[in-house]
Amino acid sequence: MQDFITRLPKAELHLHIEGSLEPELMFALAERNGVALPYASIEAVREAYQFDDLQSFLVLYYQGMSVLRTAEDFFDLAMDYFRRASAEGVVHVELHFDPQAHLARGIELGVVIEGLARACRLASRELDLSSALIMAFLRDRPADEAMQVLERAAPYWEMLDAIGLDSAEHGHPPQKFVEVFERARALGIARVAHAGEEGPAAYIAQALDLLDVCRIDHGVRCLEDPALVERLRALRMPLTVCPLSNVKLKVVERIDDHPLPQLLEAGLLLTINSDDPAYFGGGMRDNFLACQRAFGWSEATLLGLARNAIEVAFMDPARRSELLVRLESMA
Ligand code: ADE
Ligand code: ZN
């Protein structure tokens, strides 16, 4: 099964590139840029990764990214992840990135996007790994700041596959970002949003009603509202579920308690993702494997989940057909 999961062509739709920063690279970049880290060693970093909830993780996540300063750093960050992901059978990655977290430290948008985009081009050539860029807004920051960032991104609009919404969910409903998402829609930029990770099912409904999103990141709390579940099913609205993330951030206590079996049973369009693999103890292979072990999933179920991700990914039709052929050859 482990070998089957590795060979399965996996598309990852929910990955925060800053959350792929492994402690080894964090230390190397800290040294290169003369940034002081509050950790004595690489082991100490890993030991610090014990979280009580989303907020306790976000504190270390924003602190960790302080080592990213130049386009070269963002390039190295993304290439480091692409190489690891490719080695475990990932064929397509959609990267969320958090421009506000970098702008706040004086790092220009162009530095971030040009570094990431260069890595995306190289990964396509060297690793046959396709990718997409999702510029995410921090929902615990003011909506006008998000709007300013969207306008400032004008030279890069063409390079963005979507905008997203992430960071601390409690008390920051999708409603707060209606105008920003309206503007993106007017610009022809697709929209996704985190909803129903820690926040209530009502936030998922709001993301659909008010932000006109084409997928929901996480969404696991939809089960609290049967009418919403039915709506998501009827719409074939993709949910980008992140099982190991949900365990690490205590959305669920143990992987065995994860609602994935109920979500599948409800007929929802699900995908498996790693979210912040450097912080949550595993990439795509480990997420698939943990679920397969916990729920006894068959090869057909695993193929179905991998197929869902390829079918709804931001990718050109030729690439989608190529990956679907590769996937079906395993069936
Ligand atoms: N930013 C990085 N990871 C996140 C998560 N799991 N939820 C919300 N915002 C995030
Ligand atoms: Zn996320």
Short mmCIF file of all heavy atoms in Angstrom, two decimals, residues 98-134:
data_model
loop_
_atom_site.label_atom_id
_atom_site.label_comp_id
_atom_site.label_asym_id
_atom_site.label_seq_id
_atom_site.Cartn_x
_atom_site.Cartn_y
_atom_site.Cartn_z
N ASP A 98 1.56 34.16 1.63
CA ASP A 98 0.96 35.19 2.50
C ASP A 98 1.70 36.52 2.33
O ASP A 98 2.56 36.87 3.15
CB ASP A 98 1.07 34.76 3.97
CG ASP A 98 0.12 33.63 4.34
OD1 ASP A 98 -0.98 33.56 3.76
OD2 ASP A 98 0.47 32.82 5.22
N PRO A 99 1.38 37.32 1.29
CA PRO A 99 2.16 38.54 1.05
C PRO A 99 2.17 39.50 2.24
O PRO A 99 3.19 40.15 2.48
CB PRO A 99 1.47 39.17 -0.16
CG PRO A 99 0.16 38.51 -0.30
CD PRO A 99 0.30 37.15 0.30
N GLN A 100 1.05 39.60 2.97
CA GLN A 100 1.02 40.57 4.08
C GLN A 100 2.05 40.25 5.16
O GLN A 100 2.59 41.15 5.79
CB GLN A 100 -0.38 40.63 4.70
CG GLN A 100 -1.37 41.35 3.81
CD GLN A 100 -2.78 40.88 4.09
OE1 GLN A 100 -3.16 39.76 3.74
NE2 GLN A 100 -3.58 41.72 4.72
N ALA A 101 2.30 38.96 5.36
CA ALA A 101 3.27 38.56 6.38
C ALA A 101 4.67 39.01 5.97
O ALA A 101 5.54 39.22 6.82
CB ALA A 101 3.23 37.05 6.58
N HIS A 102 4.89 39.16 4.67
CA HIS A 102 6.21 39.59 4.18
C HIS A 102 6.28 41.11 4.03
O HIS A 102 7.28 41.72 4.41
CB HIS A 102 6.53 38.88 2.86
CG HIS A 102 6.36 37.39 2.96
ND1 HIS A 102 7.04 36.65 3.91
CD2 HIS A 102 5.55 36.52 2.31
CE1 HIS A 102 6.67 35.38 3.80
NE2 HIS A 102 5.77 35.27 2.86
N LEU A 103 5.21 41.70 3.54
CA LEU A 103 5.17 43.17 3.41
C LEU A 103 5.39 43.81 4.78
O LEU A 103 6.08 44.82 4.90
CB LEU A 103 3.83 43.62 2.82
CG LEU A 103 3.69 43.40 1.31
CD1 LEU A 103 2.23 43.50 0.88
CD2 LEU A 103 4.55 44.40 0.53
N ALA A 104 4.82 43.21 5.81
CA ALA A 104 4.93 43.75 7.18
C ALA A 104 6.39 43.76 7.64
O ALA A 104 6.75 44.52 8.54
CB ALA A 104 4.08 42.93 8.13
N ARG A 105 7.23 42.92 7.00
CA ARG A 105 8.65 42.87 7.37
C ARG A 105 9.49 43.64 6.35
O ARG A 105 10.71 43.50 6.31
CB ARG A 105 9.13 41.41 7.42
CG ARG A 105 8.35 40.53 8.36
CD ARG A 105 8.88 39.09 8.39
NE ARG A 105 8.67 38.36 7.14
CZ ARG A 105 9.64 38.01 6.30
NH1 ARG A 105 10.90 38.29 6.57
NH2 ARG A 105 9.36 37.35 5.20
N GLY A 106 8.82 44.37 5.48
CA GLY A 106 9.55 45.18 4.49
C GLY A 106 9.98 44.41 3.26
O GLY A 106 10.85 44.86 2.50
N ILE A 107 9.39 43.24 3.03
CA ILE A 107 9.74 42.46 1.84
C ILE A 107 8.68 42.72 0.77
O ILE A 107 7.50 42.42 0.97
CB ILE A 107 9.78 40.93 2.14
CG1 ILE A 107 10.52 40.63 3.45
CG2 ILE A 107 10.32 40.15 0.95
CD1 ILE A 107 11.96 40.99 3.47
N GLU A 108 9.13 43.23 -0.36
CA GLU A 108 8.21 43.61 -1.44
C GLU A 108 7.54 42.38 -2.08
O GLU A 108 8.14 41.30 -2.17
CB GLU A 108 8.98 44.38 -2.52
CG GLU A 108 8.95 45.88 -2.31
CD GLU A 108 7.54 46.43 -2.09
OE1 GLU A 108 6.62 46.03 -2.83
OE2 GLU A 108 7.36 47.24 -1.15
N LEU A 109 6.34 42.62 -2.58
CA LEU A 109 5.57 41.59 -3.26
C LEU A 109 6.35 40.94 -4.41
O LEU A 109 6.33 39.72 -4.59
CB LEU A 109 4.31 42.28 -3.79
CG LEU A 109 3.10 41.47 -4.11
CD1 LEU A 109 2.70 40.59 -2.95
CD2 LEU A 109 1.96 42.42 -4.46
N GLY A 110 7.05 41.78 -5.19
CA GLY A 110 7.79 41.28 -6.35
C GLY A 110 8.88 40.28 -5.95
O GLY A 110 9.14 39.32 -6.67
N VAL A 111 9.49 40.52 -4.81
CA VAL A 111 10.55 39.63 -4.31
C VAL A 111 9.96 38.24 -4.07
O VAL A 111 10.52 37.20 -4.47
CB VAL A 111 11.14 40.20 -2.99
CG1 VAL A 111 11.98 39.18 -2.25
CG2 VAL A 111 11.93 41.47 -3.29
N VAL A 112 8.79 38.22 -3.43
CA VAL A 112 8.13 36.96 -3.09
C VAL A 112 7.69 36.24 -4.37
O VAL A 112 8.04 35.08 -4.61
CB VAL A 112 6.89 37.22 -2.18
CG1 VAL A 112 6.20 35.91 -1.83
CG2 VAL A 112 7.28 38.00 -0.93
N ILE A 113 6.94 36.96 -5.20
CA ILE A 113 6.33 36.31 -6.37
C ILE A 113 7.39 35.90 -7.39
O ILE A 113 7.33 34.80 -7.94
CB ILE A 113 5.25 37.22 -7.01
CG1 ILE A 113 4.12 37.44 -6.01
CG2 ILE A 113 4.73 36.62 -8.33
CD1 ILE A 113 2.96 38.28 -6.52
N GLU A 114 8.39 36.76 -7.60
CA GLU A 114 9.39 36.38 -8.60
C GLU A 114 10.22 35.18 -8.13
O GLU A 114 10.53 34.30 -8.93
CB GLU A 114 10.25 37.59 -8.98
CG GLU A 114 9.49 38.40 -10.03
CD GLU A 114 9.90 39.86 -10.15
OE1 GLU A 114 11.03 40.18 -9.76
OE2 GLU A 114 9.05 40.66 -10.62
N GLY A 115 10.53 35.12 -6.85
CA GLY A 115 11.27 33.96 -6.32
C GLY A 115 10.46 32.68 -6.46
O GLY A 115 10.97 31.65 -6.92
N LEU A 116 9.18 32.74 -6.09
CA LEU A 116 8.33 31.55 -6.17
C LEU A 116 8.12 31.14 -7.63
O LEU A 116 8.19 29.95 -7.98
CB LEU A 116 6.97 31.81 -5.50
CG LEU A 116 7.00 32.07 -3.99
CD1 LEU A 116 5.58 32.36 -3.47
CD2 LEU A 116 7.60 30.89 -3.22
N ALA A 117 7.86 32.12 -8.49
CA ALA A 117 7.56 31.81 -9.89
C ALA A 117 8.76 31.18 -10.59
O ALA A 117 8.62 30.29 -11.43
CB ALA A 117 7.10 33.07 -10.61
N ARG A 118 9.95 31.63 -10.23
CA ARG A 118 11.16 31.05 -10.84
C ARG A 118 11.27 29.57 -10.44
O ARG A 118 11.60 28.71 -11.26
CB ARG A 118 12.40 31.85 -10.40
CG ARG A 118 13.65 31.46 -11.17
CD ARG A 118 14.67 32.61 -11.19
NE ARG A 118 15.24 32.90 -9.87
CZ ARG A 118 16.24 32.21 -9.32
NH1 ARG A 118 16.77 31.18 -9.97
NH2 ARG A 118 16.72 32.55 -8.14
N ALA A 119 10.97 29.28 -9.18
CA ALA A 119 10.99 27.87 -8.73
C ALA A 119 9.92 27.06 -9.47
O ALA A 119 10.16 25.91 -9.85
CB ALA A 119 10.77 27.81 -7.21
N CYS A 120 8.75 27.66 -9.67
CA CYS A 120 7.68 26.94 -10.39
C CYS A 120 8.13 26.58 -11.81
O CYS A 120 7.89 25.46 -12.28
CB CYS A 120 6.41 27.79 -10.45
SG CYS A 120 5.61 28.02 -8.85
N ARG A 121 8.82 27.51 -12.46
CA ARG A 121 9.28 27.25 -13.83
C ARG A 121 10.34 26.14 -13.84
O ARG A 121 10.30 25.23 -14.67
CB ARG A 121 9.84 28.53 -14.48
CG ARG A 121 8.76 29.57 -14.79
CD ARG A 121 9.29 30.67 -15.72
NE ARG A 121 10.36 31.45 -15.11
CZ ARG A 121 10.18 32.54 -14.37
NH1 ARG A 121 8.96 32.99 -14.14
NH2 ARG A 121 11.22 33.19 -13.84
N LEU A 122 11.26 26.20 -12.90
CA LEU A 122 12.32 25.18 -12.85
C LEU A 122 11.73 23.81 -12.51
O LEU A 122 12.14 22.79 -13.08
CB LEU A 122 13.40 25.58 -11.83
CG LEU A 122 14.62 24.66 -11.82
CD1 LEU A 122 15.36 24.70 -13.16
CD2 LEU A 122 15.58 25.00 -10.68
N ALA A 123 10.76 23.78 -11.59
CA ALA A 123 10.15 22.49 -11.20
C ALA A 123 9.44 21.86 -12.40
O ALA A 123 9.45 20.64 -12.56
CB ALA A 123 9.17 22.71 -10.06
N SER A 124 8.84 22.70 -13.23
CA SER A 124 8.17 22.17 -14.40
C SER A 124 9.18 21.51 -15.34
O SER A 124 8.97 20.40 -15.82
CB SER A 124 7.43 23.33 -15.10
OG SER A 124 6.96 22.91 -16.33
N ARG A 125 10.31 22.20 -15.54
CA ARG A 125 11.34 21.66 -16.46
C ARG A 125 12.07 20.46 -15.88
O ARG A 125 12.26 19.46 -16.54
CB ARG A 125 12.38 22.75 -16.74
CG ARG A 125 11.95 23.83 -17.71
CD ARG A 125 13.17 24.51 -18.36
NE ARG A 125 14.13 25.01 -17.39
CZ ARG A 125 14.04 26.18 -16.76
NH1 ARG A 125 13.00 26.98 -17.00
NH2 ARG A 125 14.97 26.58 -15.91
N GLU A 126 12.49 20.59 -14.62
CA GLU A 126 13.39 19.57 -14.05
C GLU A 126 12.68 18.40 -13.42
O GLU A 126 13.21 17.30 -13.36
CB GLU A 126 14.27 20.21 -12.97
CG GLU A 126 15.50 20.83 -13.53
CD GLU A 126 16.59 21.03 -12.49
OE1 GLU A 126 16.38 20.73 -11.30
OE2 GLU A 126 17.66 21.51 -12.90
N LEU A 127 11.50 18.65 -12.86
CA LEU A 127 10.83 17.60 -12.08
C LEU A 127 9.52 17.15 -12.71
O LEU A 127 8.84 16.30 -12.14
CB LEU A 127 10.55 18.12 -10.65
CG LEU A 127 11.74 18.63 -9.84
CD1 LEU A 127 11.25 19.34 -8.55
CD2 LEU A 127 12.65 17.46 -9.45
N ASP A 128 9.15 17.75 -13.82
CA ASP A 128 7.84 17.52 -14.42
C ASP A 128 6.73 17.72 -13.38
O ASP A 128 5.79 16.94 -13.27
CB ASP A 128 7.74 16.10 -15.04
CG ASP A 128 6.45 15.92 -15.82
OD1 ASP A 128 5.89 16.93 -16.28
OD2 ASP A 128 5.98 14.77 -15.93
N LEU A 129 6.89 18.77 -12.60
CA LEU A 129 5.91 19.10 -11.56
C LEU A 129 5.24 20.42 -11.95
O LEU A 129 5.94 21.43 -12.12
CB LEU A 129 6.63 19.20 -10.22
CG LEU A 129 5.75 19.43 -9.00
CD1 LEU A 129 6.23 18.55 -7.84
CD2 LEU A 129 5.78 20.87 -8.55
N SER A 130 3.93 20.40 -12.14
CA SER A 130 3.23 21.65 -12.46
C SER A 130 2.79 22.33 -11.17
O SER A 130 2.81 21.72 -10.10
CB SER A 130 2.04 21.37 -13.39
OG SER A 130 1.26 20.31 -12.89
N SER A 131 2.40 23.60 -11.28
CA SER A 131 2.08 24.33 -10.05
C SER A 131 1.13 25.47 -10.36
O SER A 131 0.89 25.82 -11.52
CB SER A 131 3.36 24.86 -9.40
OG SER A 131 4.07 25.63 -10.34
N ALA A 132 0.58 26.04 -9.29
CA ALA A 132 -0.29 27.22 -9.40
C ALA A 132 -0.02 28.09 -8.18
O ALA A 132 0.42 27.60 -7.14
CB ALA A 132 -1.75 26.77 -9.44
N LEU A 133 -0.28 29.40 -8.35
CA LEU A 133 -0.02 30.34 -7.26
C LEU A 133 -1.33 30.90 -6.71
O LEU A 133 -2.17 31.40 -7.48
CB LEU A 133 0.83 31.52 -7.77
CG LEU A 133 2.32 31.28 -8.00
CD1 LEU A 133 2.97 32.54 -8.58
CD2 LEU A 133 3.02 30.87 -6.70
N ILE A 134 -1.48 30.84 -5.40
CA ILE A 134 -2.68 31.37 -4.74
C ILE A 134 -2.23 32.44 -3.73
O ILE A 134 -1.55 32.12 -2.74
CB ILE A 134 -3.46 30.24 -4.02
CG1 ILE A 134 -3.85 29.15 -5.01
CG2 ILE A 134 -4.69 30.83 -3.30
CD1 ILE A 134 -4.55 27.94 -4.42
#
